[in-house]
């Protein structure tokens, strides 16, 4: 296995070896990306509904082993430095990689709610030095080789109208429209610039309604998942 250069402190590659048992395993891994309010979560749940096989959705805030770290990030009572918060976000991603490795043998499909694009975007939101985290980003990227990445694309005003209607908003969403509009632009730029042969990348227009969005997803996974899709 060709391993990218680690960070100066060194990178443990046992996670890559645990997750990347070959491209075939990650063919059953679907990653959904999208800005807050893009309809990503609704699309994930709808896809799970039309599948009759064993599906495992791996989130961040609701996973038993990750709740503590997620709550620390969201808490306003314990302010973190931006670098400390970034490291916590990366720690969550590494724990999720281990969940992928543990769950893969027991499920027909795994769905990651957000992935590397979301994590890397926090570097841009906070104006951090990307080189500080480059080695860790590479480990995550390499581990998920062969997965299918769905980019849920939606204009900002539609995203924000959905965010406003939420009863429980994240700390990020509570920063208000102006900050989120700036961060949306940075996130969108990252999505537009993303081009990686390690993943099959599919753009999904989530402004056109859930059924059309679902049809786009299903048409791109049918070859791998046809046996577990109901009536599609």
């Amino acid at each position: 296995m060709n391993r990218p250069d680690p960070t100066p402190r060194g990178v443990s590659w046992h996670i890559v070896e645990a997750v990347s048992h070959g491209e075939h395993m990650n063919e059953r891994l679907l990653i959904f990306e999208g800005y807050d309010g893009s309809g990503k979560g609704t699309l994930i749940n709808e896809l799970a509904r039309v599948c009759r096989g064993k599906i495992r959705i791996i989130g961040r805030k609701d996973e038993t082993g990750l709740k503590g770290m997620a709550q620390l990030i969201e808490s306003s009572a314990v302010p973190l430095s931006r670098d400390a918060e970034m490291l916590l976000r990366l720690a969550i991603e590494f724990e999720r990689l281990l969940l992928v490795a543990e769950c893969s043998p027991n499920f027909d499909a795994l769905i990651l709610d957000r992935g590397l694009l979301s994590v890397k975007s926090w570097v841009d939101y906070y104006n951090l030095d990307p080189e500080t985290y480059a080695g860790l980003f590479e480990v995550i990227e390499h581990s998920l080789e062969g997965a299918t990445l769905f980019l849920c694309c939606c204009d900002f005003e539609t995203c924000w109208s959905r965010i406003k209607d939420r009863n429980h908003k994240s700390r990020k969403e509570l920063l208000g429209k102006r900050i989120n509009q700036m961060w949306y632009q940075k996130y969108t730029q990252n999505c537009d610039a993303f081009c990686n042969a390690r993943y099959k990348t599919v753009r999904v227009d989530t402004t056109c309604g859930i059924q059309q969005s679902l049809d786009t997803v299903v048409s791109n996974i049918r070859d791998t998942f046809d046996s577990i899709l109901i009536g599609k």
Side-chain angles (χ1 to χ4, degrees):
M1 177 186 296
N2 292 326
R3 297 176 175 177
D5 293 334
T7 60
R9 295 185 181 86
V11 170
S12 174
W13 280 88
H14 75 281
I15 292 181
V16 177
E17 291 162 354
V19 178
S20 300
H21 296 297
E23 189 172 325
H24 178 68
M25 174 168 286
N26 280 345
E27 283 180 353
R28 293 184 285 112
L29 177 62
L30 309 176
I31 305 169
F32 283 78
E33 281 280 5
Y35 199 77
D36 306 55
S38 65
K40 168 182 57 62
T42 301
L43 184 54
I44 288 173
N45 292 332
E46 189 65 12
L47 177 61
R49 186 187 67 80
V50 301
C51 291
R52 62 187 171 197
K54 293 179 66 179
I55 309 297
R56 175 71 157 87
I57 300 172
I58 300 176
R60 293 165 298 121
K61 296 178 182 178
D62 295 327
E63 293 290 338
T64 302
L66 306 180
K67 281 184 178 179
M69 287 186 285
Q71 288 171 355
L72 188 56
I73 289 172
E74 287 293 314
S75 174
S76 57
V78 186
L80 299 170
S81 70
R82 292 181 170 186
D83 282 298
E85 181 182 326
M86 191 67 211
L87 289 171
L88 269 178
R89 291 184 181 279
L90 282 162
I92 288 173
E93 292 310 303
F94 275 84
E95 289 299 309
R96 294 209 305 162
L97 290 182
L98 291 178
L99 278 175
V100 169
E102 292 168 4
C103 294
S104 288
N106 304 311
F107 290 87
D108 297 308
L110 300 178
I111 297 174
L112 275 182
D113 186 348
R114 295 194 182 279
L116 184 60
L117 268 172
S118 287
V119 180
K120 291 179 78 170
S121 291
W122 282 96
V123 170
D124 297 320
Y125 301 159
Y126 284 167
N127 295 315
L128 301 174
D129 180 6
E131 290 303 313
T132 302
Y133 308 100
L136 297 173
F137 289 155
E138 182 66 8
V139 174
I140 297 170
E141 187 175 297
H142 197 87
S143 299
L144 302 177
E145 183 172 355
T148 299
L149 171 63
F150 290 100
L151 298 177
C152 297
C153 303
C154 186
D155 64 274
F156 176 73
E157 290 300 331
T158 300
C159 288
W160 188 250
S161 67
R162 294 169 178 170
I163 290 170
K164 286 195 301 181
D165 291 338
R166 291 178 176 172
N167 293 325
H168 302 287
K169 296 178 177 62
S170 69
R171 183 167 62 89
K172 174 185 174 186
E173 293 165 353
L174 289 171
L175 291 173
K177 183 175 182 178
R178 185 179 65 85
I179 295 295
N180 273 273
Q181 189 163 24
M182 289 191 298
W183 287 4
Y184 170 89
Q185 292 170 351
K186 292 182 178 183
Y187 178 83
T188 302
Q189 288 168 1
N190 284 340
C191 291
D192 291 342
F194 187 82
C195 180
N196 195 311
R198 288 176 175 166
Y199 309 118
K200 174 184 177 181
T201 303
V202 180
R203 289 182 175 270
V204 183
D205 181 358
T206 52
T207 63
C208 60
I210 186 61
Q211 188 58 55
Q212 189 171 330
S213 300
L214 181 62
D215 289 344
T216 301
V217 172
V218 169
S219 67
N220 280 278
I221 64 173
R222 182 175 294 285
D223 289 346
T224 305
F225 296 97
D226 191 57
S227 63
I228 65 170
L229 292 170
I230 299 175
K232 288 283 154 188

